[in-house]
Amino acid sequence: MAPVRPAEIVREYGPFPGGQHVGGVTFDGEHVWFAAGDHLQAFDPATGAAKCTLDVPAEAGTAFDGKHLFQIAGGKIHKIEPVTGEIVASIPAPGAGPHAGLAWAEGSLWVAERTGACIHQIDPDTGQVRRVIPATRYITGVTWIEGELWQGHWEGDRSDLRRIDPESGEVLERVLMPEGATVSGLESDGGDKFFCGGGTSGVVRAVRRPTKGHAAG
């Protein structure tokens, strides 16, 4: 059985005006962006201050490739210029959906199906599926950090973060969120924290990333 430890929530951000529901989450190295239904919204994780908004459909997963934002909406993945909000390209989201997780890593987009129990690695330009990783159901976020693949999981009133084997999909460890602290979007800050969307609470939570070799609680 995979080790389980309680989540260490280090900070909560929001709720923000106009951001009553948080979907996908990503980090561009300066700002955290989250999907808020009919727009993308950004805030400064150092101060918690709200920054810009982009008037683009933003229903589910969100990602950043170092230059552009990617956003799932209406069964498509839109490539977005983050300064102007212009949608510069669109590709179909893979699988049957619904989709609830999006990440950028290794030149690919990684797209999670919420109830389809899989994560698709796809070509960001064509949408061609490069491989499919089996996963548990009720995925609500996906992110890569230092070769580790993590997914958010939300079922009922319980959520957790799961590190999974990127080949087999086996759950290797779980980080259990407090009851009622849902996960709707997941992103690494590139270091020791995850940003987790908080669903209808309208908040984004920063959660400590477990370190290798740390004993399970």
Side-chain angles (χ1 to χ4, degrees), residues 130-147:
R130 292 172 170 168
R131 67 170 166 144
V132 179
I133 302 170
T136 54
R137 298 179 68 198
Y138 305 113
I139 305 172
T140 54
V142 60
T143 192
W144 282 90
I145 174 66
E146 296 179 347

Side-chain angles (χ1 to χ4, degrees), residues 52-129:
C52 62
T53 61
L54 301 177
D55 291 327
V56 295
E59 298 170 1
T62 313
F64 180 70
D65 71 352
K67 184 177 180 180
H68 292 96
L69 293 162
F70 291 84
Q71 179 60 55
I72 298 176
K76 295 183 178 181
I77 302 173
H78 300 298
K79 184 178 182 179
I80 300 164
E81 211 294 318
V83 175
T84 64
E86 179 187 2
I87 296 174
V88 297
S90 298
I91 56 175
H99 304 91
L102 185 64
W104 170 270
E106 301 175 346
S108 295
L109 287 170
W110 304 78
V111 190
E113 289 190 66
R114 174 168 168 75
T115 55
C118 63
I119 298 169
H120 301 264
Q121 178 189 7
I122 69 169
D123 184 299
D125 296 317
T126 66
Q128 180 180 357
V129 176

Side-chain angles (χ1 to χ4, degrees), residues 25-27 63-64 142-144 185-189 193-196:
V25 180
T26 197
F27 181 54
F64 180 70
V142 60
T143 192
W144 282 90
L186 177 65
E187 174 70 301
S188 166
D189 72 344
K193 291 189 292 295
F194 293 118
F195 295 114
C196 303

Side-chain angles (χ1 to χ4, degrees), residues 167-208:
E167 297 298 330
S168 68
E170 177 189 0
V171 178
L172 302 176
E173 65 178 309
R174 297 172 58 211
V175 177
L176 188 63
M177 298 290 283
E179 187 172 353
T182 53
V183 175
S184 61
L186 177 65
E187 174 70 301
S188 166
D189 72 344
D192 65 350
K193 291 189 292 295
F194 293 118
F195 295 114
C196 303
T200 55
S201 69
V203 306
V204 175
R205 298 179 176 92
V207 176
R208 186 79 62 195

